[in-house]
Amino acid sequence: MKVTFLGTGTSQGIPVIGSTHPVCLSTNPKDKRLRVSVLIEWHDYTYVIDCGPDFRQQMLRANCNRIDGILFTHEHADHTAGLDDIRPYFFRQGDIPIYAHKRVLGELERRFDYIFETENKYPGAPSVQKNIITNEPFDVGGISVIPISGMHYNLQVFGFRFHNFAYLTDMKTIAEEEMEKLKNLDVLVINALRESEHPSHLNLEQALDIINILKPKRAYLTHISHLLGFHDDVQQKLPENVFLAYDTLNITI
């Protein structure tokens, strides 16, 4: 299984528009972060987790010519705003499967009503195949995906486990029974927004605490704010099996 980090930034991305913060002015490519998303590939299957406002740019950069579906963690704009840009895939492949909580599908239907229209549909609009996720395993591309339910402030969000790889973003709290689903991982990806406390995201200390409890072989931090600091400086402070993810990073599980 190959995982490509399409984006590793928080909702504003890095650099933040108009910001003069030193990290936003950095010339290091690893300090330039699009909105958070990953591309997961195995055998002949290609799936994306989340489809934010940088989706088009990310797909061009990754040279991704086909997707078999999109899994959504939750409905916030930095994870969903790029849905219209599935059009080239739809034109070549037909309806694109999407997987999301019923609540999230409802939000997508409201925001992108023309995509979900069934009568007098605009001919240039894409179409999707809706798949409702509950907190039960579901199959994609011959793999059983295990949802991991967590809380993003007071909003329920899903992470996903594919075999021994798990991807969590926008988490703040994870119940003990959900943590049990994350045992014996080769790779854990988890959000770590900044060093200081945040009401709806794990900060660095909290993310490292979870990593220490779960003890994956490797862990990667994502959904990163410029306030966390320069990539190279932060990496030097991390445990030897924990890595600061960056855009275009490829890992193999």
Side-chain angles (χ1 to χ4, degrees):
M1 179 179 287
K2 176 184 173 184
V3 176
T4 301
F5 288 86
L6 300 173
T8 56
T10 188
S11 57
Q12 297 182 86
I14 305 175
V16 176
I17 294 171
S19 174
T20 57
H21 188 282
V23 174
C24 292
L25 300 178
S26 171
T27 58
N28 184 348
K30 293 180 180 178
D31 286 321
K32 300 183 186 300
R33 303 180 185 278
L34 300 179
R35 267 61 73 93
V36 69
S37 177
V38 288
L39 183 72
I40 305 176
E41 301 171 88
W42 66 92
H43 302 313
D44 294 325
Y45 296 103
T46 302
Y47 285 84
V48 177
I49 299 181
D50 288 333
C51 178
D54 302 313
F55 180 74
R56 174 182 174 275
Q57 181 180 354
Q58 290 166 338
M59 293 295 97
L60 288 170
R61 187 170 65 180
N63 193 29
C64 180
N65 299 318
R66 175 185 174 83
I67 57 173
D68 292 291
I70 303 170
L71 286 66
F72 286 101
T73 59
H74 64 297
E75 63 267 44
H76 284 168
D78 55 319
H79 299 260
T80 60
L83 185 59
D84 183 77
D85 285 327
I86 65 171
R87 283 183 292 155
Y89 297 110
F90 165 70
F91 295 150
R92 289 195 297 268
Q93 301 173 211
D95 295 5
I96 304 299
I98 62 173
Y99 301 80
H101 189 284
K102 183 178 180 180
R103 182 198 73 242
V104 177
L105 286 174
E107 280 294 305
L108 293 176
E109 290 175 1
R110 183 180 65 83
R111 297 179 198 172
F112 299 94
D113 55 343
Y114 60 95
I115 291 178
F116 296 86
E117 184 61 69
T118 57
E119 297 180 7
N120 300 317
K121 183 168 182 170
Y122 176 67
S127 295
V128 297
Q129 298 173 7
K130 297 186 293 183
N131 296 273
I132 295 174
I133 296 173
T134 64
N135 200 13
E136 296 292 335
F138 60 98
D139 290 336
V140 295
I143 287 181
S144 179
V145 179
I146 300 173
I148 313 297
S149 186
M151 296 302 295
H152 178 39
Y153 190 48
N154 60 1
L155 181 72
Q156 183 274 339
V157 299
F158 275 132
F160 302 104
R161 177 171 181 160
F162 299 71
H163 290 327
N164 291 327
F165 166 77
Y167 180 84
L168 309 178
T169 187
D170 289 54
M171 296 277 185
K172 177 62 176 180
T173 58
I174 309 170
E176 185 175 345
E177 60 268 25
E178 298 300 310
M179 290 279 284
E180 286 295 319
K181 301 177 183 178
L182 295 167
K183 297 285 183 68
N184 302 313
L185 288 170
D186 288 337
V187 173
L188 171 66
V189 178
I190 189 167
N191 56 291
L193 187 71
R194 61 192 193 192
E195 289 192 357
S196 59
E197 180 74 15
H198 191 277
S200 61
H201 291 275
L202 295 166
N203 65 10
L204 178 60
E205 180 181 7
Q206 292 161 343
L208 291 176
D209 285 345
I210 290 176
I211 292 167
N212 188 52
I213 292 169
L214 295 175
K215 293 180 169 47
K217 292 180 181 177
R218 288 180 286 160
Y220 293 84
L221 307 179
T222 194
H223 206 289
I224 295 159
S225 161
H226 61 291
L227 298 176
L228 186 59
F230 293 102
H231 180 280
D232 292 347
D233 292 346
V234 176
Q235 182 59 60
Q236 290 179 8
K237 302 174 185 177
L238 297 177
E240 62 179 9
N241 68 326
V242 180
F243 305 91
L244 204 59
Y246 57 87
D247 290 19
T248 73
L249 172 66
N250 295 312
I251 61 173
T252 301
I253 298 98

